[in-house]
């Protein structure tokens, strides 16, 4: 039985004051009877504040991005060791905004995944198709290409140390959620593709859905057999809505 994970991706949002309020609200609301594991991924500059406020709680935290390099002359970058230094458990890699706005290739995403996994972080690998790719019937080909780039570089053992998030790009921040059936179909495809290489890894892998998840649609999505929780953007910035989604797990 796979545990559900609900992870919040704050993106480039927050302030010390707003984070404080949000994290205190989450600490007060996460608790007994919640089956999901809960995590938040704040902007890197607020990870120290998050670590301080959440340490001793059941909520985990992580980064939104990392460098594939270990250390050195890479201005503006954050290393895996720095994330570990602040007790991050997770790091998001290959979010569609990084791929689209910052030109991250499948190869670079795979290298980031490898760096994160080798350092002992749990990478959350985002995959997903653009609207045009869905409309032209290429969803599976795109997702397979993004997934295979990582598997080919790191192998099945390392893949199993991470989490996959299927995020159709047309559903991110748009209010258009994939229907539970649409999402389930792609999740099942991802699991079947993993199973071609290693059935046990496929069975144990957490595959999250992301894209306009809200308290009102989370339970139906999370009840699908191959959906093991969610990666939440907008709705993770408000304690009540994020907690509502966490309870749906
Ligand atoms: P959203 O973002 O929930 O605001 O659609 C999801 C994501 O980008 O991870």
């Amino acid at each position: 039985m796979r545990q559900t994970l609900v992870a919040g991706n704050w993106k480039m949002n927050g302030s010390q004051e707003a984070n404080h309020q949000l994290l205190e609200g989450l600490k007060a609301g996460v608790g007994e009877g919640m089956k999901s594991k809960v995590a938040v991924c704040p902007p890197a500059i607020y990870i120290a504040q998050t670590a301080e406020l959440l340490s001793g709680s059941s909520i985990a935290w992580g980064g939104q991005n990392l460098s594939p390099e270990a250390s050195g002359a890479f201005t503006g970058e954050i290393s895996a060791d720095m994330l570990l230094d602040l007790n991050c458990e997770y790091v998001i890699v290959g979010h569609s905004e990084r791929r689209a706005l910052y030109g991250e290739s499948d190869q670079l995403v795979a290298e980031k995944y490898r760096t994160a996994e080798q350092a002992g972080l749990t990478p959350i690998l985002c995959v997903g198709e653009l609207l045009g790719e869905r409309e032209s019937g290429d969803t599976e080909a795109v997702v397979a290409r993004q997934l295979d780039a990582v598997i080919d570089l790191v192998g099945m053992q390392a893949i199993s140390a991470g989490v996959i998030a299927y995020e159709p790009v047309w559903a991110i921040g748009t209010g258009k959620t994939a229907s539970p059936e649409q999402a389930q179909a792609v999740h099942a495809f991802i699991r079947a593709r993993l199973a071609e290489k290693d059935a046990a890894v496929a069975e144990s892998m957490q595959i999250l859905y992301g894209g306009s998840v809200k308290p009102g649609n989370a339970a139906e999505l999370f009840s699908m057999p191959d959906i093991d929780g969610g990666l939440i953007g907008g709705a993770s910035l408000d304690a009540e809505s994020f907690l509502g989604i966490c309870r749906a797990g």
Side-chain angles (χ1 to χ4, degrees), residues 9 11 95 97 167 171-174 210-214 231-235:
N9 171 12
K11 308 191 180 182
H95 190 279
E97 286 150 18
E167 301 205 298
I172 295 178
T174 58
S212 297
V213 179
K214 302 280 180 292
L231 183 57
I232 319 300

Side-chain angles (χ1 to χ4, degrees), residues 54-210:
L54 292 185
S55 72
S57 80
S58 64
I59 306 172
W61 58 93
Q64 297 177 8
N65 184 28
L66 84 165
S67 169
E69 307 292 341
S71 67
F74 302 101
T75 301
E77 293 290 280
I78 309 275
S79 73
D81 282 350
M82 293 172 188
L83 295 173
L84 286 169
D85 196 21
L86 292 174
N87 296 317
C88 287
E89 180 172 346
Y90 295 98
V91 63
I92 299 170
V93 296
H95 190 279
S96 65
E97 286 150 18
R98 303 270 349 146
R99 293 178 190 262
L101 303 173
Y102 302 98
E104 293 197 3
S105 64
D106 293 338
Q107 179 63 26
L108 178 62
V109 171
E111 286 167 15
K112 289 184 173 197
Y113 192 102
R114 178 175 62 184
T115 299
E117 188 276 328
Q118 286 181 349
L121 291 159
T122 301
I124 301 176
L125 169 68
C126 300
V127 297
E129 81 287 2
L130 304 168
L131 182 58
E133 292 166 337
R134 171 161 287 263
E135 286 172 348
S136 59
D138 292 327
T139 297
E140 292 188 353
V142 170
V143 168
R145 191 199 74 223
Q146 293 172 335
L147 188 60
D148 290 354
V150 182
I151 296 174
D152 291 348
L153 187 74
V154 307
M156 291 306 286
Q157 194 63 35
I159 268 281
S160 72
V163 174
I164 295 170
Y166 167 58
E167 301 205 298
V169 179
W170 48 272
I172 295 178
T174 58
K176 278 190 222 150
T177 320
S179 69
E181 294 71 25
Q182 277 176 321
Q184 165 59 26
V186 182
H187 282 235
F189 169 76
I190 293 170
R191 204 176 301 285
R193 194 152 186 102
L194 294 169
E196 282 169 21
K197 302 214 159 64
D198 190 319
V201 168
E203 188 50 37
S204 65
M205 197 88 201
Q206 284 174 318
I207 308 178
L208 314 184
Y209 168 78

